Amino acid sequence: MIKCLLAGSSARRAIIVPSDCHIYSQLCWVEVQRRLLKTKNARGTKLGLNPTSVDSVVIGKGNEVKMKPGQQLLIVNQLFPYTVQYKEDPSGNHSGSKRPREPSEDRMMDREVPSTKGTKAAKQTEKEPVQPKNEETTRNNESFGHWSQGLKTSMQDPKMQVYKDEKVVVIKDKYPKARYHWLVLPWQSISSLRVLREEHTDLLKHMQKVADQMVQQCPHASSLRFRTGYHAIPSMSHVHLHVISQDFDSPCLKNKKHWNSFTTDYFIESHDVIQMLETNGRVTVKEGASELLKLPLRCHMCGKELTTIPALKEHLKSHFPS
DNA sequence: GTTCTAGAAC
DNA sequence: GTTCTAGAAC
């Protein structure tokens, strides 16, 4: 059982909602951010035995943690994600506490039941940057709700999930750059390759294993080549492993950056990342990686240089007839 | 990350 | 004239 003590100002109250709910969908972002910055923290006390965590930090039995707006509460082996948000309270009543609603039956049905045996809850050491409370940052909307945080939302959406287990979730890339393009994401909040340490090695090996399984179950696995790897400097927050077929036959592949991010050393093989972690305890990205995105368009199959994206796409048809 | 569009390239 | 890219805006 989770006891939630939620604090809010007289005009607002905190609520915990399942992460796929968007209570602010009717409000413009600036207004939402303004409200979040004005509200107080929520407090939750862990009473039971099932592993519960806030932003991947496990709450021990009897312990108490403060939750901030946007933080995620994961109940029972990270099966049920909830996010703390704040909402206008028309009644002005803020005296009571509110329990998170039980997940509905269909929500339960949608989820696989992972084995609790051997499920070690990982300690999360990464700290999210503190949001400076100034008007400029509020206007610029640079944290919660920013486009770069989109994967965090997508990975929680059951409609997007094509596989999940106790450690990772797989979603289809929203803008696939090839016939098959998946992303493997850890449930644990890891912002980027930069924060990876030796203790993440097993997790990354598991991500690799799941990526291999995705390829194996693909109906065209025998005729298509796949690569699994990470972008050196990804645009989207939350570590994600690309699993992508090498046809690059997709209307979403539109520019030089797209092409070079998958066909130059900007794309770092999963095995190389794991090896770096095992030998150095961290992942180093070569300096000047961003310059790789500006390289001339070169066919990854035969090395032929093409001058434009349409010419490249036409050339790719010779390697991958539809 | 995507979308939009000015202006470069043809 | 059209096609395409690159950078700003989101």
Side-chain angles (χ1 to χ4, degrees):
Chain A
M1 183 173 72
I2 308 288
K3 183 178 74 174
C4 293
L5 301 170
L6 301 161
S9 71
S10 58
R12 300 171 182 88
R13 65 175 180 184
I15 62 169
I16 296 182
V17 298
S19 293
D20 54 357
C21 288
H22 303 286
I23 62 169
Y24 287 125
S25 58
Q26 303 299 312
L27 301 170
C28 76
W29 164 249
V30 172
E31 178 62 8
V32 171
Q33 185 78 346
R34 189 182 65 78
R35 291 178 189 186
L36 290 179
L37 289 174
K38 285 179 104 173
T39 49
K40 296 174 185 174
N41 288 337
R43 193 174 60 162
T45 308
K46 173 75 168 60
L47 298 176
L49 290 170
N50 282 322
T52 293
S53 55
V54 173
D55 275 3
S56 298
V57 179
V58 172
I59 309 166
K61 188 186 176 187
N63 290 337
E64 190 172 301
V65 294
K66 282 181 180 176
M67 288 185 72
K68 294 172 185 168
Q71 273 196 320
Q72 196 174 58
L73 174 70
L74 295 160
I75 300 170
V76 190
N77 288 328
Q78 308 191 342
L79 274 175
F80 307 115
Y82 291 78
T83 304
V84 171
Q85 301 182 349
Y86 287 82
K87 188 181 183 181
E88 292 290 332
D89 185 356
S91 71
N93 178 11
H94 61 107
S95 56
S97 62
K98 185 182 172 72
R99 290 169 184 272
R101 73 163 170 81
E102 287 297 318
S104 63
E105 281 302 306
D106 60 330
R107 197 176 167 81
M108 297 281 282
M109 291 293 285
D110 186 61
R111 295 176 184 274
E112 294 167 11
V113 180
S115 162
T116 50
K117 195 169 63 180
T119 302
K120 262 191 260 173
K123 271 275 179 189
Q124 171 61 26
T125 52
E126 182 195 357
K127 291 205 171 61
E128 291 297 326
V130 176
Q131 178 71 42
K133 296 182 181 182
N134 61 55
E135 288 299 316
E136 193 58 38
T137 316
T138 303
R139 273 201 300 276
N140 289 346
N141 174 26
E142 293 209 338
S143 59
F144 189 84
H146 190 257
W147 56 260
S148 63
Q149 308 300 308
L151 288 178
K152 297 183 203 295
T153 310
S154 296
M155 65 185 279
Q156 301 291 347
D157 181 356
K159 292 189 288 294
M160 305 283 278
Q161 299 164 346
V162 294
Y163 169 88
K164 60 171 167 267
D165 61 27
E166 73 276 16
K167 287 181 176 175
V168 302
V169 61
V170 182
I171 59 173
K172 280 188 184 178
D173 193 296
K174 198 173 174 183
Y175 300 92
K177 304 301 186 291
R179 290 174 194 167
Y180 298 97
H181 189 181
W182 296 288
L183 303 177
V184 184
L185 305 111
W187 289 119
Q188 186 181 354
S189 175
I190 302 170
S191 62
S192 71
L193 296 179
R194 195 169 38 83
V195 302
L196 288 175
R197 293 295 179 267
E198 195 178 357
E199 58 263 32
H200 295 109
T201 308
D202 284 349
L203 175 62
L204 266 73
K205 282 182 175 175
H206 182 71
M207 288 168 69
Q208 173 64 56
K209 194 177 119 188
V210 169
D212 291 340
Q213 286 170 3
M214 293 307 297
V215 175
Q216 281 166 25
Q217 59 82 50
C218 172
H220 298 101
S222 54
S223 59
L224 290 172
R225 193 166 67 90
F226 278 80
R227 288 184 76 199
T228 55
Y230 301 84
H231 279 156
I233 310 163
S235 301
M236 305 295 280
S237 187
H238 202 107
V239 158
H240 52 284
L241 174 60
H242 291 272
V243 185
I244 185 165
S245 59
Q246 296 297 291
D247 51 88
F248 296 110
D249 175 13
S250 166
C252 297
L253 196 149
K254 292 177 176 176
N255 57 46
K256 183 176 270 188
K257 183 178 174 179
H258 291 156
W259 179 255
N260 284 332
S261 71
F262 288 101
T263 60
T264 68
D265 287 344
Y266 194 88
F267 189 83
I268 310 172
E269 286 282 341
S270 170
H271 287 111
D272 293 339
V273 169
I274 290 167
Q275 194 163 43
M276 279 191 257
L277 274 187
E278 284 180 327
T279 58
N280 303 328
R282 59 187 64 202
V283 181
T284 50
V285 171
K286 288 187 193 113
E287 216 177 317
S290 59
E291 295 303 305
L292 297 170
L293 298 175
K294 298 172 186 169
L295 287 172
L297 301 169
R298 190 175 289 280
C299 175
H300 65 313
M301 298 295 286
C302 67
K304 183 179 167 69
E305 195 172 307
L306 287 304
T307 52
T308 66
I309 287 288
L312 171 66
K313 291 196 161 212
E314 197 58 34
H315 172 77
L316 288 175
K317 287 181 184 173
S318 67
H319 293 296
F320 304 97
S322 47

